[in-house]
Amino acid sequence: MPHLLRVDASSRLTGSTSRNLGDQFETLWRNRGTSFDVLHRDVVKIPLPSIEQKTITAFYTPPDQFTSELREATVLSNELIRELKAADELLLTTPMYNFCIPAALKAWIDQIVRINHTFAYDGKNFTGLLQMRRATIVTSYGAGGYLNSGSFASVDHCAPYLEFLLKFLGIEKVEHIGVEATTGDAELLTAQMSIAKQQIARLANN
């Protein structure tokens, strides 16, 4: 059964460009057949706590040395990592806030980037442990100039960061669909959305 994990991170629960495109992807994915399943993790509707010292300590403690407190500290991380490892594909939708990803998404990332679970280190080299077929990142930007080597491309700490991170964790094929200047000219935004939806149709049906 093809299984998609969808993670949404926009604080806009309505009128969100990234969520809108995510909805289209999910609809097309489900329409491929009754066996195409989706698990939805919305880190805004159900916020995740910021990572704590005890959780970090547990990440670097051998399991046979866990105390009950350390075991409890990894329950959420274990759940989120199980969701990732069970998925054939990942759909991640997010806006860029103040040149970076939303705090809600960072909280998710801090729980799933975990040594010996999603990546390994042998003292010399890092190895990603996720064996997912593909990840698709959908990003939206209020201003323009971030995409296609625009004037703000160097301060886009959203899409490039997410692409690097997912490849670091072992997902070799990472696709990116971006829409910018969402607060600008309506006609330009409509044209961008049309292109983005064509890209989503290609990916969701492949």
Side-chain angles (χ1 to χ4, degrees), residues 108-182:
W108 178 78
I109 288 170
D110 288 343
Q111 294 285 350
I112 60 98
V113 179
R114 183 173 168 189
I115 193 166
N116 297 327
H117 288 261
T118 52
F119 76 95
Y121 180 62
D122 63 7
K124 292 184 179 180
N125 300 300
F126 290 96
T127 302
L129 300 179
L130 296 183
Q131 298 181 347
M132 198 174 293
R133 173 178 177 264
R134 181 178 65 191
T136 300
I137 303 168
V138 175
T139 60
S140 62
Y141 305 80
Y146 294 98
L147 304 176
N148 303 314
S149 302
S151 57
F152 279 170
S154 64
V155 291
D156 177 2
H157 305 301
C158 182
Y161 164 67
L162 292 172
E163 289 179 35
F164 169 82
L165 177 72
L166 296 176
K167 289 180 179 179
F168 175 81
L169 296 180
I171 306 175
E172 295 184 1
K173 190 173 184 179
V174 180
E175 304 280 358
H176 174 228
I177 299 170
V179 174
E180 61 182 350
T182 60

Side-chain angles (χ1 to χ4, degrees), residues 19-32:
R19 286 179 182 273
N20 178 302
L21 294 173
D23 288 344
Q24 179 180 351
F25 190 109
E26 180 176 340
T27 297
L28 292 173
W29 171 274
R30 290 184 183 277
N31 286 345
R32 292 175 67 178

Side-chain angles (χ1 to χ4, degrees), residues 37 67 79-80 94 169 179 181 201:
D37 185 39
T67 63
E79 177 185 355
L80 298 176
T94 182
L169 296 180
V179 174

Side-chain angles (χ1 to χ4, degrees), residues 5 12 47 52 75 107 135-136 142 159 175 185 190 202:
L5 172 62
R12 293 178 185 265
E52 298 180 333
V75 168
T136 300
E175 304 280 358
D185 180 75
T190 298
R202 173 179 59 83

Side-chain angles (χ1 to χ4, degrees), residues 71-83:
R71 191 171 294 106
E72 178 65 25
T74 61
V75 168
L76 176 58
S77 174
N78 291 340
E79 177 185 355
L80 298 176
I81 290 173
R82 276 196 300 269
E83 292 177 355

